[in-house]
């Protein structure tokens, strides 16, 4: 029986299972940014690697500021590598679009978390930039978790199973008592399973086209966090 839940943050609570690269690309499509998906993917990878290797995001930065920084890095890359005119005019509409959708999805996730918190303790394990506590306050999630394990603070990143072990230990439970919920099979589900936890895969639109068709023999699968509540009721 599950005595506690560990949740991933990015693409689990803020996009409902949709990989952030896909969420960003669809916003580019909606606003007709004149770049190909292949070039966008290059820019996305560049921005993520830059943020991962340089101290650009500050501990006091909000989610909105973080998102703006990511978009600016992407658009600067695209403008300089495609020989087009600067694409900075797209920054504001992309930011407003994505931030609004994030707030809506996070509010829905918060409703699910509140119902779960009334039953069992919750923890958060995330690859993030050192400002996750600020982000949680920004979206009203800061009182929901008994422990927050953030890669930039803990010094270990997914897919290393040890980051989930840290979460389990912070909850004062055993791995067999904990269920991990995440959107990434490689970064959440497989390492959490290796750490000895039960797993629930929130399977949404992934970074690759075949991601939704993959099978996971050792985990349960849901298409939305609401299904997690239904799953618990039937046990």
């Amino acid at each position: 029986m599950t005595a506690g839940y560990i949740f991933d943050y990015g693409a689990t609570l803020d996009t409902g299972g949709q990989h952030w690269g896909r969420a960003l690309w669809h916003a580019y499509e909606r606003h007709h940014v004149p770049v190909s998906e292949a070039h966008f993917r290059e820019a996305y990878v560049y921005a993520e690697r830059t943020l991962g290797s340089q101290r650009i995001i500050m501990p006091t930065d909000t989610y909105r500021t973080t998102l703006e920084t990511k978009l600016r890095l992407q658009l600067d890359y695209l403008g300089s590598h495609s020989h087009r005119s600067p694409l900075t005019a797209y920054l504001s509409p992309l930011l407003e679009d994505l931030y609004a959708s994030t707030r809506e999805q996070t509010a829905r996730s918060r409703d699910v978390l509140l119902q779960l918190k009334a039953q069992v303790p919750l923890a958060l394990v995330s690859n993030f930039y050192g400002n996750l506590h600020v982000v949680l306050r920004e979206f009203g999630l800061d009182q929901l978790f008994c422990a927050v394990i953030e890669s930039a603070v803990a010094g270990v990143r997914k897919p290393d199973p040890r980051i989930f072990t840290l979460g389990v230990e912070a909850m004062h439970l055993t791995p067999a008592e904990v269920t991990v919920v995440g959107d990434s099979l490689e970064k959440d589900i497989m390492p959490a399973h290796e750490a000895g936890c039960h797993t629930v895969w929130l399977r949404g639109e992934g970074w690759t086209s075949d991601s939704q068709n993959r099978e996971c023999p050792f985990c349960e699968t849901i298409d939305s966090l609401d299904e997690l509540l239904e799953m618990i009721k039937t046990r």
Side-chain angles (χ1 to χ4, degrees):
M1 180 177 178
T2 296
Y5 284 88
I6 289 177
F7 284 86
D8 166 54
Y9 182 73
T12 296
L13 300 183
D14 56 2
T15 69
Q18 184 180 56
H19 188 283
W20 252 105
R22 303 300 295 175
L24 285 158
W25 170 243
H26 291 320
Y28 274 61
E29 289 181 308
R30 289 193 294 273
H31 292 277
H32 307 290
V33 182
V35 297
S36 68
E37 184 175 1
H39 285 154
F40 162 76
R41 283 176 172 263
E42 291 178 11
Y44 176 83
V45 171
Y46 163 78
E48 292 304 308
R49 288 178 176 171
T50 300
L51 292 175
S53 62
Q54 301 179 32
R55 190 174 175 80
I56 296 174
I57 303 299
M58 295 292 104
T60 55
D61 282 350
T62 63
Y63 191 103
R64 183 184 178 90
T65 300
T66 302
L67 180 57
E68 182 177 5
T69 301
K70 288 189 177 195
L71 288 168
R72 192 180 300 279
L73 284 169
Q74 292 168 16
L75 293 171
D76 286 348
Y77 177 93
L78 288 165
S80 62
H81 285 72
S82 64
H83 305 291
R84 295 179 181 273
S85 58
L87 299 175
T88 53
Y90 293 95
L91 177 61
S92 181
L94 286 170
L95 176 61
E96 297 305 324
D97 179 329
L98 287 159
Y99 190 67
S101 63
T102 297
R103 289 191 68 89
E104 291 176 9
Q105 179 57 55
T106 306
R108 290 193 289 270
S109 297
R110 185 176 184 274
D111 289 340
V112 172
L113 294 172
L114 282 169
Q115 294 181 63
L116 283 175
K117 186 178 184 293
Q119 305 174 48
V120 293
L122 310 178
L124 197 67
V125 170
S126 177
N127 284 352
F128 219 74
Y129 308 103
N131 61 326
L132 188 52
H133 284 282
V134 172
V135 169
L136 294 178
R137 286 197 300 272
E138 185 178 359
F139 294 120
L141 303 176
D142 51 316
Q143 300 299 316
L144 297 181
F145 302 103
C146 65
V148 175
I149 310 299
E150 183 179 5
S151 61
V153 177
V156 58
R157 292 178 58 85
K158 305 172 190 177
D160 192 325
R162 291 179 297 167
I163 196 168
F164 290 102
T165 299
L166 291 175
V168 170
E169 292 173 348
M171 300 178 80
H172 305 290
L173 297 171
T174 66
E177 295 176 302
V178 174
T179 294
V180 172
V181 182
D183 71 287
S184 174
L185 189 59
E186 290 80 8
K187 292 183 178 180
D188 299 318
I189 304 308
M190 294 174 69
H193 176 71
E194 187 176 342
C197 301
H198 302 288
T199 53
V200 176
W201 182 20
L202 176 58
R203 186 166 57 182
E205 185 182 13
W207 182 237
T208 59
S209 58
D210 66 340
S211 57
Q212 287 177 279
N213 298 321
R214 298 180 65 181
E215 298 296 329
C216 178
F218 53 80
C219 70
E220 297 181 90
T221 302
I222 56 176
D223 295 317
S224 71
L225 285 184
D226 291 329
E227 290 183 24
L228 182 62
L229 296 175
E230 295 302 316
M231 181 187 298
I232 294 170
K233 289 178 183 178
T234 60
R235 287 177 176 170

